[in-house]
């Protein structure tokens, strides 16, 4: 059943199933040939995904998982996800600090790039948090933006000595723990 409307007023969509065209017609991945009805040329419709057949389960807001719960679940169940999460911990933490700085100073990525002596795409990649920044990049961000980064890497289960409790409470932008080591990143 394909439904339209809100969860409280779910009803089947009227009319026959659409006639699919194009090379993906067998898989149901394209919109129907409706150039006469919509005025859109057939060539455009043949390459647009048809999401109308997606079934949406209604759920109450309090039944939905938070982002943290979804990430925790993936970390428990998906070893590849966990390995990538651990590998990019520093990148995500630096991303948080850079995005926070840009938002606090009402800057565009281009304006931030000018301050850092970089190109805008480099700032965009830095903000994505998928690639660990080099020491040179961290030093440049610190010098040009006045951001102080503290990176604490220690054996798992040991006490944090290099980051004060106040900094841990107020300035932590990222952390990750593996069975062997822990990383804590603070920025201010």
């Amino acid at each position: 059943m394909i439904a339209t409307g809100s969860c409280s007023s779910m009803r089947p969509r009227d009319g026959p199933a659409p006639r699919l065209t194009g090379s993906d017609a067998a898989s149901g991945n394209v919109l129907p040939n409706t150039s006469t009805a919509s005025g859109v040329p057939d060539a455009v419709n043949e390459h647009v995904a048809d999401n109308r057949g997606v079934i949406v389960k209604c759920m109450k807001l309090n039944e939905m998982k938070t982002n943290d719960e979804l990430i925790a679940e993936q970390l428990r169940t998906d070893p590849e996800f966990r390995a990538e999460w651990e590998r990019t911990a520093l990148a995500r933490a630096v991303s948080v600090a850079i995005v926070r700085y840009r938002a606090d100073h009402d800057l565009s990525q281009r304006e931030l790039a000018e301050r850092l002596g970089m190109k805008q795409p480099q700032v965009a990649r830095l903000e994505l948090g998928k690639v660990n920044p080099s020491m040179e990049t961290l030093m440049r961000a610190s010098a040009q933006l006045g951001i102080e980064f503290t990176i604490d890497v220690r054996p798992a289960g040991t006490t944090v000595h290099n980051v004060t409790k106040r900094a841990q409470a107020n300035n932590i932008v990222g952390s990750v723990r593996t069975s062997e080591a822990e990383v804590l990143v603070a920025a201010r």
Side-chain angles (χ1 to χ4, degrees), residues 1-15 52 58:
M1 174 170 134
I2 300 173
T4 60
S6 67
C7 289
S8 61
S9 65
M10 298 290 277
R11 65 174 179 76
R13 184 177 63 214
D14 297 322
R52 294 176 292 178
C58 292

Side-chain angles (χ1 to χ4, degrees), residues 88 91-92 95-96 99 109 121-131:
T88 59
R92 287 190 318 279
S95 170
V96 167
V99 170
Q109 284 184 341
Q122 291 173 292
V123 170
R125 280 192 298 276
L126 192 60
E127 288 185 353
L128 279 176
K130 292 186 177 188
V131 177

Side-chain angles (χ1 to χ4, degrees), residues 43-92:
V44 172
N45 283 336
E46 289 180 12
H47 301 289
V48 178
D50 181 5
N51 294 334
R52 294 176 292 178
V54 175
I55 297 174
V56 178
K57 178 185 172 195
C58 292
M59 105 178 9
K60 294 179 182 175
L61 188 58
N62 64 357
E63 295 172 349
M64 295 178 71
K65 293 181 181 180
T66 66
N67 187 51
D68 289 342
E69 290 169 335
L70 291 170
I71 289 171
E73 182 178 323
Q74 281 221 261
L75 289 170
R76 280 192 313 275
T77 61
D78 186 345
E80 288 179 20
F81 178 83
R82 182 175 192 83
E84 183 67 8
W85 185 262
E86 292 168 356
R87 188 189 69 73
T88 59
L90 176 62
R92 287 190 318 279

Side-chain angles (χ1 to χ4, degrees), residues 92-156:
R92 287 190 318 279
V94 171
S95 170
V96 167
I98 296 295
V99 170
R100 184 181 296 159
Y101 178 91
R102 191 164 69 82
D104 289 348
H105 293 84
D106 197 29
L107 297 173
S108 68
Q109 284 184 341
R110 180 169 268 102
E111 291 167 329
L112 181 60
E114 288 172 9
R115 287 191 185 187
L116 291 171
M118 299 176 156
K119 295 183 188 253
Q120 179 273 328
Q122 291 173 292
V123 170
R125 280 192 298 276
L126 192 60
E127 288 185 353
L128 279 176
K130 292 186 177 188
V131 177
N132 285 320
S134 67
M135 190 59 69
E136 177 187 349
T137 299
L138 291 173
M139 291 171 66
R140 181 183 294 185
S142 183
Q144 299 302 318
L145 306 179
I147 298 174
E148 178 182 320
F149 293 102
T150 303
I151 303 167
D152 179 69
V153 182
R154 64 193 178 290

